[in-house]
Amino acid sequence: MNDLKTVRENVTFVRQTTPSGVLLVAAAKTRTADEVNAAVDAGIKAIGYNYIQEAERMRPVVSDKVSWHMIGHLQRNKAKKAVQLFDMIETIDSVGLALEVNKQCLVARKKMPVLIEINSGRESNKTGVTPENAEQLIREISALSNLLVQGLMTMGPRLGDPEDARPYFQLTKKVFDQIAKLKIPRVEMRYLSMGMSNSYRIAIEEGATIIRIGSFLFGERN
Ligand SMILES: *Cc1c(COP(=O)(O)O)cnc(C)c1O
């Protein structure tokens, strides 16, 4: 387990060195409840989980004063649980998944803010809609009454030279601006979620308004 004081200091550092309009999501996979709660103590307002099972396990022991973001690939058969657990789903990338989440939202009487995941790396990313198909997907999802499209998310490369991530972020920002200009009813281009520990500064330079950071806050994962 990492030193909780260090976690708090890391959170404070990132908060103090990023613009106030940027939402810092703590990517919490594999971390203990104590580590995540230390991050919340230091001012984290949103946490991200990649797996339903882990989120379910952590839900009772991690603060519910923060908003919970689904940041991993979501399987359709987990949509019901996802709707119960999360306040935002950042990884919608197909009509089929959107339909299932919408259906579960109807059952749960919940409106779910969602981001559309863009496959900005094409062959190197396995998930997300291609930039070319984003508009069509968003138009279709905009008709689903219990989903609120609020922006885009992309992964980009996690390792390597942070500068290598810049073109992926630029491409996603370009799609973001194009979609915003279309003024599709019920679609808001408000959040652009991109950038991880090694690349978040570059992501902010390229227009990110959500950054998702794990190892820089909590230490390297085992
Ligand atoms: C793990 C993860 C992050 C954070 O990665 P770090 O390199 O640990 O900062 C961000 N986004 C997603 C989708 C992740 O799975």
Side-chain angles (χ1 to χ4, degrees):
M1 192 175 90
N2 295 293
D3 178 358
L4 299 182
K5 183 163 167 279
T6 307
V7 172
R8 283 192 288 268
E9 284 168 1
N10 292 342
V11 170
T12 302
F13 174 81
V14 176
R15 290 182 65 222
Q16 286 176 348
T17 54
T18 52
S20 58
V22 175
L23 176 68
L24 167 58
V25 175
K29 59 181 175 278
T30 77
R31 311 304 177 174
T32 65
D34 283 348
E35 289 173 299
V36 181
N37 287 324
V40 174
D41 282 347
I44 285 289
K45 299 283 188 288
I47 56 177
Y49 278 101
N50 293 65
Y51 303 104
I52 296 295
Q53 267 193 333
E54 186 177 23
E56 220 177 357
R57 189 155 45 74
M58 300 309 277
R59 188 81 225 204
V61 286
V62 165
S63 172
D64 59 3
K65 292 186 196 70
V66 295
S67 97
W68 285 53
H69 289 217
M70 175 61 179
I71 61 173
H73 182 64
L74 180 58
Q75 290 168 319
R76 287 176 209 182
N77 61 1
K78 303 270 172 66
K80 182 178 179 181
K81 288 261 167 73
V83 165
Q84 292 165 354
L85 289 163
F86 291 102
D87 303 299
M88 176 183 276
I89 298 175
E90 295 200 12
T91 48
I92 298 292
D93 65 355
S94 71
V95 176
L97 176 60
L99 281 168
E100 189 58 32
V101 174
N102 186 60
K103 184 174 126 194
Q104 297 301 337
C105 284
L106 285 166
V107 174
R109 295 168 180 274
K110 197 167 169 177
K111 300 250 191 225
M112 180 63 74
V114 300
L115 306 184
I116 306 305
E117 182 177 354
I118 303 294
N119 182 346
S120 58
R122 297 167 200 279
E123 60 273 88
S124 66
N125 293 28
K126 290 175 273 330
T127 56
V129 62
T130 59
E132 297 75 27
N133 293 330
E135 178 187 337
Q136 179 60 29
L137 177 63
I138 289 169
R139 286 192 187 279
E140 290 179 47
I141 292 177
S142 71
L144 303 178
S145 59
N146 284 50
L147 300 190
L148 306 168
V149 176
Q150 295 190 339
L152 307 181
M153 176 270 205
T154 199
M155 285 287 289
R158 195 175 90 82
L159 301 169
D161 183 349
E163 274 299 330
D164 294 345
R166 194 184 293 279
Y168 301 90
F169 298 154
Q170 287 173 334
L171 175 60
T172 308
K173 172 70 159 116
K174 198 173 125 198
V175 176
F176 184 89
D177 290 340
Q178 283 167 349
I179 303 280
K181 255 197 245 146
L182 298 171
K183 301 208 182 303
I184 300 169
R186 301 190 65 253
V187 169
E188 250 184 308
M189 282 293 117
R190 182 163 149 201
Y191 296 113
L192 181 54
S193 175
M194 52 189 201
M196 302 185 260
S197 290
N198 76 335
S199 58
Y200 76 90
R201 290 165 191 288
I202 287 169
I204 291 169
E205 284 171 17
E206 298 303 337
T209 58
I210 295 180
I211 52 177
R212 310 176 309 270
I213 304 188
S215 46
F216 195 83
L217 304 180
F218 299 110
E220 281 305 321
R221 282 180 294 277
N222 296 325

